[in-house]
Amino acid sequence: MESVRFLNLSNCRIRTLHEDVTLCVNLVELNLSNNALENIDLLGKLEQVEMLDISSNKITTIDPLVTMSRLSNLKLAGNLIQSVECLKCLQNLKKVRISDQLLHLSNPICRPDTGYPQSVVAQLNQIIELDGLRVRGVGSTFYHLVNQIEKESVDVEQGGDDTATPIQTRYHHHHNNTNGGDWFRLDGQLDVTSSAVSLEGLRGRLSAAKRNFEALLKESHRICEKKN
């Protein structure tokens, strides 16, 4: 068991983890997705694991994961999780997936009234990617644009101004000659502050960007599956 570094136990109808899994002392990647797990206490003994996929189970708490100090990539979508605050002690954790819109997987923590995803980003200041989107550093423009527009939408609903605060973002619009579709690329900083941008206009841009971003993800997934 010491030689096992990658272990895929997805879609195995597992309800309870066996003690033998802790014998894989050199395990680096573990996939337990699409099972029926509720208790993950034994996972806390796998301190050397760097990538863990426990999506699509029946897990309500992830507290046992706090001892997995080397964990850098964690997939949780499709469970019953209401808090991830315990993960803030895992300083090597960079990527977390709690919701997966393409697969229609989520968690109770993702409800609109919880302040998600901003609440999680604030709690876990070590992560750079949440649900497949960069939330910090290079590439995080789209995430911040979404947050700004959502905030402005709330302000308008509460009686604020009906124009949006100008956003320093650049949209590059491209026409795809292959399939006739259009896509958007967010790139760096562009001054669009010469006049106030209407909230409806920004909502339309965001909606189009979301659709094209999801289409890009699906196409990337299709290409990856074809190569495999």
Side-chain angles (χ1 to χ4, degrees), residues 20 29 38 85 98 111 143 157 172 183-184 199 217:
D20 286 351
E29 294 188 9
E38 296 182 16
E85 188 174 4
I98 304 175
R111 296 192 314 268
Y143 168 78
E157 290 172 359
H172 282 294
W183 56 280
F184 288 89
L199 182 58
L217 286 179

Side-chain angles (χ1 to χ4, degrees), residues 113-159:
D113 62 332
T114 65
Y116 187 86
Q118 296 92 330
S119 57
V120 169
V121 175
Q123 287 177 345
L124 308 180
N125 56 24
Q126 77 275 36
I127 67 171
I128 60 174
E129 185 177 300
L130 177 63
D131 298 340
L133 285 178
R134 294 275 299 198
V135 297
R136 291 187 173 90
V138 177
S140 62
T141 308
F142 184 83
Y143 168 78
H144 293 296
L145 175 64
V146 171
N147 287 343
Q148 175 116 21
I149 294 177
E150 287 180 347
K151 180 179 182 299
E152 289 161 354
S153 297
V154 172
D155 291 342
V156 171
E157 290 172 359
Q158 293 176 349

Side-chain angles (χ1 to χ4, degrees), residues 76-143:
L76 304 169
N79 282 288
L80 303 171
I81 298 165
Q82 301 199 43
S83 174
V84 295
E85 188 174 4
C86 64
L87 299 177
K88 63 184 180 182
C89 65
L90 301 179
Q91 292 304 308
N92 288 318
L93 187 62
K94 301 304 177 185
K95 298 181 180 181
V96 180
R97 183 174 286 279
I98 304 175
S99 174
D100 192 325
Q101 293 187 11
L102 293 180
L103 298 178
H104 305 290
L105 299 175
S106 188
N107 279 280
I109 192 177
C110 302
R111 296 192 314 268
D113 62 332
T114 65
Y116 187 86
Q118 296 92 330
S119 57
V120 169
V121 175
Q123 287 177 345
L124 308 180
N125 56 24
Q126 77 275 36
I127 67 171
I128 60 174
E129 185 177 300
L130 177 63
D131 298 340
L133 285 178
R134 294 275 299 198
V135 297
R136 291 187 173 90
V138 177
S140 62
T141 308
F142 184 83
Y143 168 78

Side-chain angles (χ1 to χ4, degrees), residues 159-203:
D161 192 2
D162 63 352
T163 57
T165 302
I167 301 174
Q168 300 286 330
T169 306
R170 174 162 55 200
Y171 275 98
H172 282 294
H173 179 262
H174 299 268
H175 184 74
N176 189 330
N177 293 323
T178 302
N179 57 23
D182 293 323
W183 56 280
F184 288 89
R185 177 164 59 88
L186 293 172
D187 184 20
Q189 305 269 318
L190 177 70
D191 184 11
V192 292
T193 61
S194 57
S195 61
V197 182
S198 71
L199 182 58
E200 281 304 313
L202 288 173
R203 281 175 174 167

Side-chain angles (χ1 to χ4, degrees), residues 10 19 27 34 40 52 55 70 75 78 85 125 130 133 135 144 155 167-168 197 201 203 205-207 228:
S10 62
E19 189 76 30
L27 193 63
N34 293 293
I40 56 172
L52 176 64
S55 56
R70 296 187 182 181
K75 299 180 180 181
E85 188 174 4
N125 56 24
L130 177 63
L133 285 178
V135 297
H144 293 296
D155 291 342
I167 301 174
Q168 300 286 330
V197 182
R203 281 175 174 167
R205 288 182 179 182
L206 175 59
S207 179
N228 294 333

